[in-house]
Amino acid sequence: MPKTLACLDIETTGLSPDRDKIIEIGVAIFDFKERKIIKEFSTFINPGVAIPSQVTNLTGITDADVKTAPKIADIKTELEEFIRDYPIVGHNINFDIEFLNANGFEIKNLRLDSIDIAHIAFPKTDSYSLEIIGKILDVEERGKHRALSDVKSNIEILYKLFDLYFSKTPDIKNILEKSASPWKEVIKIASENCKTFKLNQKKSVAKSQKKVSFEEDKLLAEIADLVPENFIEENPENKTIICAPEIENGIHEPANYLEQKLFEKFLQKETFTPEETVFALKIIPLIGDREIARNELTLPQNGKDLWWDFACASLPENIIKKLTTDKTILISHRTLAKIALQMPELIEGSTLIILDADELFEHTRESLTVRYSMKRLGESDTVTMLFAHLGIMAEKYGEGFEFKLEEHHFDTPEWQKVATLIEKLPQEDRVVKFLNKSKKYSENLNLSIRIFEDGTPLLTITPLNIGAFLEEKYWSKAKRIQLFSSTLTFAEESPKYDFIKSSLNLPLDIKITPSDEKKIYIEKTSSDLEKLMEKEEKPIYVLTGSQRACEQIHAESALNLKNAGIKLLAQNSSGGIGKIKSMLKETPGKTVVVGTYDFYKQAKPEIKTLIIFRIPFPHPNAVQIKCPEAEKFKKYALPATMIKLKKIGLKAEKIISLDGRMPEYL
């Protein structure tokens, strides 16, 4: 049983092991059981190339620091003798070892990724970066993004993660005995030597100080910021369905719930892969008398894939009971679409309140979109042949990784073979029935084939007649309907609310309640973006049209702004959404965030100034509506984008546009 481990971290000039270079290495050999560091190794590395400014901004390492440092080949023997055959711990350790192996090393030691243990200890958190996890655990900050400092922090974090997990977790010996996880033996030591540990729980800050009539109801407290006071009746006569874009509490679609019987059966397996081990250990402490929802968890990518093996195919019985008995229910836009298809009687005669109604069209379309993979349809010769022919068709007629079927493609010999194979699938499954109905051309459906990097096809069917669906399933059934949003129109729209009414097929007498439809002035300028980021009031959000633009702005301006005492955070370049949210909270008055509209929606940062670098019009292929191609921009892309911009603009005190296409008012 290994009790001596090596913890390793490197700093590099970039993210590619093949193109970029190592500039610093830090390693500590430590006794895991006794919790003490035995010896340390640390050195700068001369990369033979200039260090990019964004790397200096991140690490503080300059060309002068590495000028007289050894080359990577010069320390190879010393480092290999130092590490020996100890298991190597690191946060995202594959990155470090792949870099070393690309630079002449042949490290074959057991790899122990501490992100796995962070996922086990924290079922849900904004970010699993070493920096953010360290702050949550009150680990002393020894210096960000310096190799040996990060190594020492990583070791302390590892101890605290295990102590936290085993302070609240039942016996997991059965899982460990059958696990193929590289952490298996280390976890056993941790379970036998853990110390009592409790998080320093800070007082939570309420999302809103606004009082609502349902003040004690956590479901309705969640939407307090989205509705005016007294908007929702107390003790309503009819069932009231409150529908919001995203919800934490409330009722979700079936796939958001864990099928506990399937999970319990899974725990009886003979063996567990490393990924299955992390998944099981993450969920076991949550098992109890209530339903476990997907939104309670932050899952790694392989965990997201595993979730679908245990997701409910239909709503759990106690959730159905809640839906049918509660007078007021809170659900998401996407869930309402599923309910309308599977339990239409719930909407009949109800009071239907749609919050952020401008997002209803997109969310309904996403909910009704069906994606067919080989895994979803099950393994069989018919399914294998079906997807082989889809791949052949995409290769023959498509360009790039995604191929949209036009009307004439449905008459090709290739599609006829696909249609014949679809008919041979078991028709009891609801999703297969829909696939069978969709095999012929329809102006109300968009079919596309996407080819993944491994060559696997994915067939996606997207409905285009969303307005007709809403009219049939929502507006014609509900007794009372009310739409609410911070904005549902924009300055140049005439007549007002035309886009919302036409895209959602709204009845003429429906009540629309915008919170504020004042015009917002846009200051148009051709000034240098970096100067604007430096002088305007912060926090600032710089809105771009693409992730590439975010990366470019960060690379060009991060170091200069840092020297001016300003923190520049960019989508992906500075970490994930959770990490950026946490970093923004530290120094909001000195921070600029650069991101796309979708990033803003997820991060929801508080801002003083909005800088529109590029208007985020959707790509023409992304506009999937039942409409002549030439009219898509005017009827959908333009009004939808202006409303999105106004929603962000209402959160800012000042709006500046560097895009000359921007109107003077929103």
Side-chain angles (χ1 to χ4, degrees):
M1 184 177 289
K3 69 184 186 73
T4 304
L5 309 174
C7 188
L8 179 146
D9 184 60
I10 65 173
E11 302 300 335
T12 67
T13 59
L15 301 177
S16 171
D18 297 323
R19 295 192 306 271
D20 297 310
K21 304 297 180 182
I22 297 170
I23 56 176
E24 188 181 28
I25 299 175
V27 189
I29 307 300
F30 66 108
D31 186 317
F32 180 73
K33 187 173 182 180
E34 298 299 325
R35 301 194 176 201
K36 65 179 182 181
I37 292 177
I38 300 169
K39 55 182 178 178
E40 301 171 1
F41 175 94
S42 178
T43 182
F44 284 125
I45 300 294
N46 187 334
V49 297
I51 297 175
S53 61
Q54 62 265 34
V55 174
T56 297
N57 173 54
L58 183 69
T59 65
I61 300 173
T62 66
D63 290 327
D65 292 324
V66 300
K67 186 176 181 180
T68 59
K71 299 281 189 181
I72 188 71
D74 298 335
I75 57 94
K76 181 175 181 292
T77 301
E78 183 183 1
L79 182 60
E80 287 176 338
E81 290 176 353
F82 189 85
I83 293 174
R84 295 167 55 181
D85 61 351
Y86 297 127
I88 301 177
V89 177
H91 219 62
N92 193 17
I93 190 60
N94 287 337
F95 173 87
D96 303 82
I97 292 180
E98 285 170 15
F99 247 98
L100 288 167
N101 287 345
N103 282 272
F105 288 78
E106 293 183 14
I107 298 174
K108 298 178 180 178
N109 303 42
L110 189 68
R111 304 179 188 186
L112 303 174
D113 195 336
S114 53
I115 289 180
D116 290 343
I117 309 305
H119 268 287
I120 290 169
F122 290 106
K124 183 180 179 72
T125 189
D126 282 341
S127 171
Y128 288 93
S129 71
L130 192 69
E131 182 181 344
I132 301 303
I133 293 296
K135 287 177 181 176
I136 295 172
L137 295 171
D138 286 331
V139 171
E140 178 189 354
E141 195 172 281
R142 297 176 170 88
K144 298 177 186 176
H145 297 288
R146 292 300 302 273
L148 191 59
S149 296
D150 282 355
V151 161
K152 291 179 178 179
S153 294
N154 202 347
I155 293 170
E156 185 180 349
I157 285 168
L158 191 62
Y159 294 143
K160 288 191 172 183
L161 287 171
F162 277 124
D163 289 343
L164 176 65
Y165 184 73
F166 286 110
S167 295
K168 61 182 180 181
T169 303
D171 184 23
I172 56 168
K173 288 180 181 177
N174 179 51
I175 304 295
L176 293 179
E177 290 299 330
K178 299 186 288 185
S179 173
S181 169
W183 279 105
K184 176 178 179 176
E185 300 302 330
V186 177
I187 293 175
K188 285 182 181 178
I189 296 175
S191 67
E192 295 165 359
N193 295 274
C194 69
K195 298 180 180 180
T196 302
F197 179 76
K198 289 185 179 180
L199 285 176
N200 180 18
Q201 297 286 0
K202 297 177 181 178
K203 291 183 179 180
S204 60
V205 179
K207 287 187 177 180
S208 173
Q209 300 301 318
K210 185 187 295 183
K211 291 185 178 180
V212 293
S213 55
F214 297 88
E215 198 171 26
E216 301 303 317
D217 190 323
K218 67 178 182 179
L219 300 186
L220 299 175
E222 181 179 337
I223 60 169
D225 283 334
L226 302 177
V227 297
E229 292 187 50
N230 304 317
F231 185 74
I232 301 164
E233 294 180 27
E234 195 166 4
N235 301 315
E237 180 182 344
N238 304 314
K239 180 182 286 293
T240 298
I241 301 174
I242 306 165
C243 186
E246 305 290 343
I247 58 172
E248 284 294 319
N249 300 295
I251 293 172
H252 301 268
E253 56 187 304
N256 194 66
Y257 296 102
L258 183 79
E259 177 59 76
Q260 295 204 27
K261 289 183 180 178
L262 285 178
F263 184 72
E264 288 166 6
K265 185 178 179 181
F266 161 72
L267 295 181
Q268 305 308 313
K269 282 185 62 176
E270 291 299 318
T271 59
F272 294 95
T273 66
E275 295 78 18
E276 289 173 338
T277 303
V278 172
F279 186 78
L281 297 186
K282 190 180 184 84
I283 289 178
I284 284 172
L286 303 177
I287 296 292
D289 297 330
R290 62 180 184 83
E291 300 297 334
I292 296 173
R294 168 69 180 81
N295 59 293
E296 295 178 58
L297 304 166
T298 305
L299 295 170
Q301 186 55 55
N302 49 38
K304 292 175 184 176
D305 296 337
L306 276 170
W307 175 268
W308 297 111
D309 294 337
F310 309 102
C312 289
S314 57
L315 286 171
E317 288 183 13
N318 61 330
I319 300 296
I320 292 176
K321 183 179 179 182
K322 187 174 181 63
L323 272 173
T324 54
T325 59
D326 285 9
K327 293 290 284 183
T328 302
I329 57 175
L330 175 63
I331 62 177
S332 71
H333 289 173
R334 294 175 180 85
T335 304
L336 183 61
K338 301 286 189 186
I339 294 293
L341 288 172
Q342 298 170 27
M343 301 175 69
E345 66 277 7
L346 283 176
I347 300 176
E348 194 80 47
S350 68
T351 294
L352 187 57
I353 298 173
I354 309 290
L355 306 181
D356 277 330
D358 56 292
E359 299 182 36
L360 181 65
F361 182 95
E362 286 290 335
H363 292 164
T364 303
R365 187 182 65 187
E366 289 168 11
S367 181
L368 298 178
T369 295
V370 184
R371 295 173 178 84
Y372 295 90
S373 63
M374 290 182 67
K375 185 175 181 180
R376 178 162 192 178
L377 291 179
E379 294 182 9
S380 70
D381 291 341
T382 302
V383 171
T384 301
M385 289 296 294
L386 169 61
F387 280 87
H389 283 293
L390 287 173
I392 291 169
M393 191 166 185
E395 186 175 337
K396 182 173 181 178
Y397 298 105
E399 294 181 7
F401 290 104
E402 189 144 9
F403 160 58
K404 178 184 174 183
L405 276 73
E406 304 293 347
E407 184 174 0
H408 65 274
H409 290 129
F410 289 83
D411 296 324
T412 61
E414 291 81 9
W415 184 257
Q416 294 306 312
K417 290 177 182 177
V418 169
T420 300
L421 289 164
I422 289 173
E423 291 173 357
K424 293 181 179 180
L425 295 173
Q427 298 298 312
E428 299 82 18
D429 190 331
R430 181 170 52 84
V431 293
V432 174
K433 284 183 181 178
F434 179 64
L435 177 60
N436 195 31
K437 289 180 181 179
S438 307
K439 67 180 184 291
K440 294 182 179 180
Y441 172 75
S442 168
E443 62 179 10
N444 294 323
L445 294 174
N446 176 50
L447 276 69
S448 64
I449 304 169
R450 181 183 177 189
I451 306 297
F452 291 109
E453 289 183 6
D454 63 358
T456 306
L458 177 76
L459 176 64
T460 300
I461 303 178
T462 305
L464 302 179
N465 56 340
I466 300 303
F469 173 86
L470 296 172
E471 184 177 11
E472 177 189 350
K473 302 293 185 181
Y474 295 6
W475 318 140
S476 66
K477 294 186 179 297
K479 183 176 181 180
R480 175 174 169 255
I481 304 161
Q482 192 153 5
L483 272 65
F484 179 82
S485 182
S486 58
T487 183
L488 291 169
T489 187
F490 55 100
E492 294 186 351
E493 186 178 34
S494 181
K496 294 299 180 187
Y497 310 118
D498 181 60
F499 171 67
I500 288 294
K501 288 179 177 179
S502 60
S503 63
L504 301 183
N505 279 31
L506 292 176
L508 294 175
D509 60 346
I510 199 165
K511 187 175 182 182
I512 296 177
T513 310
S515 64
D516 189 353
E517 290 299 9
K518 66 180 180 182
K519 287 185 178 181
I520 301 177
Y521 173 68
I522 311 295
E523 180 182 314
K524 299 173 75 172
T525 181
S526 57
S527 297
D528 179 70
L529 175 60
E530 190 171 302
K531 290 180 180 177
L532 289 173
M533 291 190 289
E534 188 172 342
K535 76 173 187 177
E536 294 297 335
E537 187 176 6
K538 298 162 189 65
I540 295 172
Y541 193 83
V542 179
L543 181 67
T544 69
S546 69
Q547 186 177 306
R548 182 183 292 273
C550 300
E551 293 167 354
Q552 185 176 351
I553 291 168
H554 186 266
E556 292 174 355
S557 301
L559 184 56
N560 293 339
L561 291 176
K562 182 180 181 180
N563 292 335
I566 298 165
K567 186 190 299 180
L568 179 62
L569 305 175
Q571 179 177 340
N572 279 23
S573 297
S574 304
I577 291 172
K579 183 176 181 180
I580 289 176
K581 284 171 65 176
S582 297
M583 294 170 73
L584 175 60
K585 289 175 184 175
E586 292 174 12
T587 53
K590 297 180 179 180
T591 303
V592 178
V593 179
V594 184
T596 60
Y597 176 76
D598 287 339
F599 186 83
Y600 176 89
K601 269 180 61 179
Q602 295 177 69
K604 297 181 176 66
E606 297 287 336
I607 59 173
K608 292 282 188 179
T609 306
L610 170 65
I611 299 176
I612 301 170
F613 183 69
R614 288 288 182 273
I615 299 175
F617 288 121
H619 189 279
N621 292 343
V623 180
Q624 299 189 41
I625 58 170
K626 190 177 177 181
C627 170
E629 201 70 31
E631 297 179 22
K632 283 184 176 181
F633 180 79
K634 183 179 179 181
K635 285 195 171 183
Y636 183 83
L638 176 63
T641 302
M642 290 300 110
I643 288 174
K644 287 177 179 178
L645 290 176
K646 188 170 181 180
K647 284 187 78 171
I648 303 178
L650 286 168
K651 301 288 186 181
E653 295 178 7
K654 184 177 183 180
I655 307 175
I656 302 169
S657 177
L658 292 169
D659 192 322
R661 299 170 295 176
M662 197 68 199
E664 188 175 359
Y665 289 94
L666 273 176

